[in-house]
Amino acid sequence: QISVLSALQQKLIRIVCVGDGLHSELRGKERWLTAFEDFKAGNTAGKAMCSEMGEGLSLMSLVMECKCRFCENFHFLKGNHENIENRDDGNDYSFYKFVQEGLMTRRFITDYYGEDILYLYACFEHDLPLASVFPDCIVSHAEPEKAYTYEQMRDCWTEENVVFGLSWTANGSAKEGSVQTMLDSFTKDPQSAVYFSGHRTISGKYAYRQNKKLIQIHNPDAENITLVYSDRQFNPESDIVSVI
């Protein structure tokens, strides 16, 4: 056995992070409510908000370092939380869940670090891919709202609703068959290939969608990952494991 770091250094594995680096859900609600009280009082960088942003930005600094060191084998996808500018322009949307997390995050960055850092971080977000495609699987933050082509995903910021359709899709709102169409287009064996997403929380180890072709894994309490091997078909019972 070798460490994950050694495997990355030797290009033996690929790691795909499914997005949502900021706005934590593990400790979410109470800390955000406290931060919101500070925010309403005019304090954009109170203790609760600094704690929240300290964790999130530390995580994203590690993501950036891994991407720089292991460019070909480490990937971070854009989720709906990757919207540091809190844009609301018909493709990406401003974020709020417990309180006004998107606005509060933007104000924290501009007040604490300045507009230049906000701009540079937004440039980083706009370069993030919306999906990763492999011979045996596809990964995106959310269930695809409809089937997308390579060209649409490549040109996502100029193609209407592509960012929304791969990072914001609510459970039950995707076009039926979208996953199978994409598997047919991109994978070597569409019948055995699977599509992975996160985005909406689930209570168990995984949840099936799209006639069991999409596997949803986002359980913040379990911190699950999927292990996809090149020499055997994926089995959700044995190949989804917790890192806690």
Side-chain angles (χ1 to χ4, degrees), residues 141-207:
H141 177 69
E143 178 182 357
E145 185 184 39
K146 61 181 182 179
Y148 297 100
T149 65
Y150 167 79
E151 289 77 16
Q152 286 175 310
M153 291 189 287
R154 180 195 63 196
D155 302 327
C156 61
W157 290 106
T158 56
E159 290 275 346
E160 186 176 2
N161 289 328
V162 177
V163 172
F164 174 83
L166 285 167
S167 59
W168 279 93
T169 314
N171 289 346
S173 66
K175 182 179 179 181
E176 193 64 33
S178 61
V179 165
Q180 188 62 63
T181 299
M182 291 183 70
L183 292 173
D184 289 343
S185 298
F186 292 111
T187 62
K188 67 179 182 181
D189 185 358
Q191 296 310 307
S192 62
V194 291
Y195 198 119
F196 297 104
S197 75
H199 187 43
R200 298 302 175 108
T201 58
I202 61 171
S203 58
K205 182 185 259 190
Y206 62 93

Side-chain angles (χ1 to χ4, degrees), residues 26-37 48 98-99:
L26 189 61
R27 280 176 288 278
K29 188 173 182 179
E30 293 305 318
R31 186 161 65 183
W32 277 112
L33 289 173
T34 301
F36 190 49
E37 291 303 313
F98 303 123
V99 286

Side-chain angles (χ1 to χ4, degrees), residues 102-165:
L103 176 61
M104 292 164 67
T105 298
R106 178 181 177 132
R107 287 287 305 277
F108 176 90
I109 295 295
T110 55
D111 291 356
Y112 200 85
Y113 293 109
E115 293 283 349
D116 289 347
I117 297 300
L118 180 78
Y119 171 76
L120 291 171
Y121 196 96
C123 290
F124 158 73
E125 289 182 334
H126 294 169
D127 278 340
L128 294 173
L130 284 175
S132 288
V133 176
F134 302 98
D136 301 314
C137 67
I138 302 174
V139 189
S140 63
H141 177 69
E143 178 182 357
E145 185 184 39
K146 61 181 182 179
Y148 297 100
T149 65
Y150 167 79
E151 289 77 16
Q152 286 175 310
M153 291 189 287
R154 180 195 63 196
D155 302 327
C156 61
W157 290 106
T158 56
E159 290 275 346
E160 186 176 2
N161 289 328
V162 177
V163 172
F164 174 83

